[in-house]
Amino acid sequence: MAGSKSDSFSGRQFVLKELERIRSAGLERRIEDVSASDKPGYCVVRGRPVLDFCSNDYLGLSRHPEVIRSLGDTARESGCGAGASRLMSGSRRVHSLLEMATANLKNHQDAMLFGSGYLANTGIIPAICGRKDAVFSDRLNHASIIDGIRLSGARHFRYRHLDLSHLEELLVRERKKYRRALVVTESVFSMDGDIADIPALISLAESCDAMLMVDEAHATGVFGAIGEGVAGRDMAHRVDVITGTYGKALGSYGAYAVMSGELKRLLASTCRTFIYSTALPPPVAAAALTGLEIAVREEGLRKRLLGLASFLRQMLFDTCGLETCGASQIVPVMCGDNRRAVELQQHLFEQGFYARAIRPPTVPEGTARIRLSVTVNHGRDELERLVETVRSWMRSEG
Ligand SMILES: Cc1ncc(COP(=O)(O)O)c(C=O)c1O
């Protein structure tokens, strides 16, 4: 039944008050139409071509002719949507092929597809942990991991970012009080670009009888000899669950989790975001499969990407004195204050660069930043111009 007039009035008051609170804290987010540009590395915003430093299409595969062809061919053959969940009539051959290719990429036993990385993380954690369990999570983990932990009802212990001594201390003190323990981390951190020590995490989790889950959203296709990620093919089988997405370096959409065949069987019967959600559209799964195959064979793209990222980091240090942690394609320019970050975003846009200010709650209070996402479509000269623009903004601040 529709709400009464007075309900909708108080509802409107709430919306306006909240909007004002968010706006005055410098935290309002706005959706903006961005169109593709013919020029590699560029996008068109407010009618203007700008160099795109927001995209996670790190290898440029979303516009690769083979990826586009496979999407189109599959759509013509089998239609657009799957029409049902995998457990109803939505499961197609292309889903199984993508699962097999993903398990092979990671050298793990099996894989399971999800509608998105967000759905993978929010579905899997509650399927393996409950109220009697504890989850030990890096304090900078992605929102989808945090939400998965909240949904699980498990006790949530946050360890200091990348601080494995702190994790060990917590595990030693708390592990025995709980039925099961899960340690969860990203491999390449989405907003900081630094990288977790996966071999050390594996040893620690094993020694403390904890399960380990690693989110390779930003590492898949980018790290490892064939793009398998940070959890190398020789050790991936010692990680209980590895999640990742097809929507970033692999150029398509959707997500995966690799795991043992037994765990997959369990999740097929218990993981709510898998059971109660329509299967990935077959054309999208086909595009993801082609993207994965290209990423595997094109080692040169990975090398180019990481070379460009390290060039950018070095330039930011040499020219602007800015230190950036990590060695990945994600390069944060720390601003601290929310308004400074928005000002730098605006300055960059005026000079032809599209890079967004990242503010709380995506990152901790006082650590607002511009997140620069390097892709293979950037040139060194463009990175130099970008750094020069950051420098001119720093100078104008005094
Ligand atoms: C670390 C991490 N995990 C999961 C996700 C969610 O993936 P998806 O975009 O496929 O929902 C993201 C994406 O933003 C991410 O950065």
Side-chain angles (χ1 to χ4, degrees), residues 56 115-121 141-145 186-191 215-218 243-248 253-255 371:
N56 300 317
S116 69
Y118 189 89
L119 289 172
N121 289 336
N141 274 340
H142 189 257
S144 56
I145 297 174
E186 292 176 42
S187 59
V188 172
F189 280 82
S190 61
M191 295 298 144
D215 181 338
E216 299 246 51
H218 295 274
T243 57
T245 103
Y246 300 113
K248 303 189 193 291
Y253 191 72
R371 174 187 185 269

Side-chain angles (χ1 to χ4, degrees), residues 7 21 105 117 170 189 260 292 320 353 375:
D7 279 345
R21 181 184 66 75
L105 172 73
L170 289 173
F189 280 82
S260 68
L292 188 155
C320 306
F353 301 98
T375 76

Side-chain angles (χ1 to χ4, degrees), residues 99-176:
E99 286 175 336
M100 267 188 276
T102 307
N104 284 341
L105 172 73
K106 300 278 186 181
N107 199 23
H108 215 306
Q109 272 183 13
D110 217 330
M112 186 171 212
L113 302 186
F114 286 85
S116 69
Y118 189 89
L119 289 172
N121 289 336
T122 51
I124 293 170
I125 298 172
I128 57 183
C129 292
R131 293 191 182 284
K132 296 184 176 158
D133 306 318
V135 182
F136 299 81
S137 168
D138 188 294
R139 65 180 306 124
L140 294 191
N141 274 340
H142 189 257
S144 56
I145 297 174
I146 297 167
D147 292 354
I149 300 169
R150 286 181 182 157
L151 276 171
S152 76
R155 180 71 197 269
H156 185 179
F157 294 98
R158 285 152 50 111
Y159 60 91
R160 287 189 291 271
H161 180 50
L162 297 179
D163 185 343
L164 299 198
S165 308
H166 187 214
L167 171 61
E168 184 169 16
E169 193 186 307
L170 289 173
L171 278 166
V172 167
R173 198 181 70 208
E174 303 290 342
R175 167 69 190 94
K176 286 203 171 62

